[in-house]
């Protein structure tokens, strides 16, 4: 992922925060020139300098079929994103030296992947994945509320995987190159915009 220094996110804990907040990630794997791209909910586990990702797929899924032939994968996490209208910039209106832009935050993780075919691991993984999303809900749902036989049958149709993260790269493209007046204007306009990610992006921009 190309990142200019101004837009770099070098702190691991900040990248981890993005990965936890937006766990539905794009995973890219390759085998013998064949590219597999999937959207998967992934759980970040504290381990080593960069962490570990845990996920699961159906046993008939292409990732499961690839098996040990996979060497490494690239995983992309992305925040909500929003179009930035040049009319929202305070500075530059007289000169007309403004152009449309896009604001977003993204984190790219790369590492080696291994498949895990273990019923106990799968049960713990599914419980942890649900807990990560349910913890703030009142009352939270837990796997203990599901019929044990149903849960066991569902888990048996899945296979797990872990990605040992070997490198992390973060990008925060939130109009840092603009003036404070411009950023304040963007926050106000995005908060009122009807775009699906506009309001969320307004909260990511630092004045």
């Amino acid at each position: 992922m190309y990142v200019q220094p101004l837009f770099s996110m070098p702190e691991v804990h900040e990248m981890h925060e993005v990965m936890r907040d937006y766990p539905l990630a794009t995973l890219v794997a390759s085998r013998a020139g064949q590219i597999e791209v999937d959207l998967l909910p992934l759980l970040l586990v504290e381990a080593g300098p960069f962490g570990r990702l845990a996920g699961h797929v159906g046993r008939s899924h292409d990732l499961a079929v690839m098996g040990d032939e996979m060497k490494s994968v690239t995983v992309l996490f992305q925040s909500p994103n929003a179009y930035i209208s040049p009319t929202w910039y305070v500075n530059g209106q007289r000169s007309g030296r403004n152009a449309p832009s896009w604001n977003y935050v993204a984190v790219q993780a790369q590492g080696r992947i291994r498949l895990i075919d273990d019923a106990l691991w799968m049960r713990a993984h599914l419980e942890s994945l649900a807990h990560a999303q349910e913890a703030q809900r009142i009352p939270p749902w837990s796997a203990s509320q599901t019929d044990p036989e149903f849960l066991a049958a569902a888990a048996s149709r899945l296979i797990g995987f872990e990605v040992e993260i070997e490198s992390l790269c973060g990008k925060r493209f939130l109009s840092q190159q603009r003036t404070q007046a411009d950023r304040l204007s963007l926050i106000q306009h995005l908060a009122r915009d009807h775009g699906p990610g506009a309001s969320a992006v307004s909260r990511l921009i630092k004045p």
Side-chain angles (χ1 to χ4, degrees):
M1 180 166 63
Y2 176 67
V3 185
Q4 295 168 287
L6 178 62
F7 306 111
S8 176
M9 185 192 305
E11 297 295 333
V12 172
H13 73 90
E14 291 184 345
M15 291 186 278
H16 279 185
E17 184 177 353
V18 174
M19 296 159 76
R20 289 193 180 97
D21 287 345
Y22 309 104
L24 185 64
T26 301
L27 186 149
V28 182
S30 63
R31 178 191 63 170
Q34 176 184 351
I35 303 296
E36 172 73 18
V37 181
D38 293 287
L39 273 174
L40 298 168
L42 300 179
L43 182 69
L44 176 64
V45 180
E46 295 290 345
F50 300 121
R52 177 190 304 137
L53 297 172
H56 63 276
V57 293
R59 290 184 177 275
S60 61
H61 195 284
D62 286 343
L63 284 179
V65 175
M66 285 182 175
D68 294 335
E69 296 183 33
M70 290 183 291
K71 300 301 180 183
S72 62
V73 296
T74 297
V75 185
L76 183 66
F77 297 82
Q78 185 176 326
S79 75
N81 59 85
Y83 170 79
I84 304 299
S85 171
T87 64
W88 297 346
Y89 295 124
V90 174
N91 295 281
Q93 293 299 326
R94 292 179 180 176
S95 65
R97 299 178 65 84
N98 279 326
S101 183
W102 219 278
N103 273 198
Y104 61 89
V105 177
V107 173
Q108 176 183 286
Q110 294 179 302
R112 299 186 67 84
I113 185 172
R114 68 183 184 96
L115 297 179
I116 301 176
D117 194 357
D118 182 282
L120 292 178
W121 183 96
M122 181 59 68
R123 174 63 184 261
H125 164 69
L126 294 176
E127 289 180 349
S128 296
L129 191 61
H131 176 73
Q133 301 303 312
E134 292 282 343
Q136 303 303 318
R137 299 179 184 275
I138 302 175
W141 177 90
S142 72
S144 63
Q145 298 173 245
T146 300
D147 177 82
E149 292 186 4
F150 171 82
L151 183 60
S156 69
R157 296 190 289 270
L158 304 173
I159 189 166
F161 65 85
E162 289 183 338
V163 178
E164 293 292 338
I165 302 176
E166 298 173 344
S167 67
L168 269 178
C169 177
K171 184 174 185 177
R172 185 187 292 112
F173 197 85
L174 297 172
S175 300
Q176 296 96 312
Q177 78 280 23
R178 294 289 177 172
T179 64
Q180 183 182 43
D182 278 344
R183 291 193 297 274
L184 287 171
S185 177
L186 294 185
I187 292 171
Q188 295 170 359
H189 281 87
L190 285 168
R192 298 192 299 266
D193 192 78
H194 297 298
S199 180
V201 171
S202 74
R203 295 189 292 273
L204 296 175
I205 298 175
K206 295 181 180 180

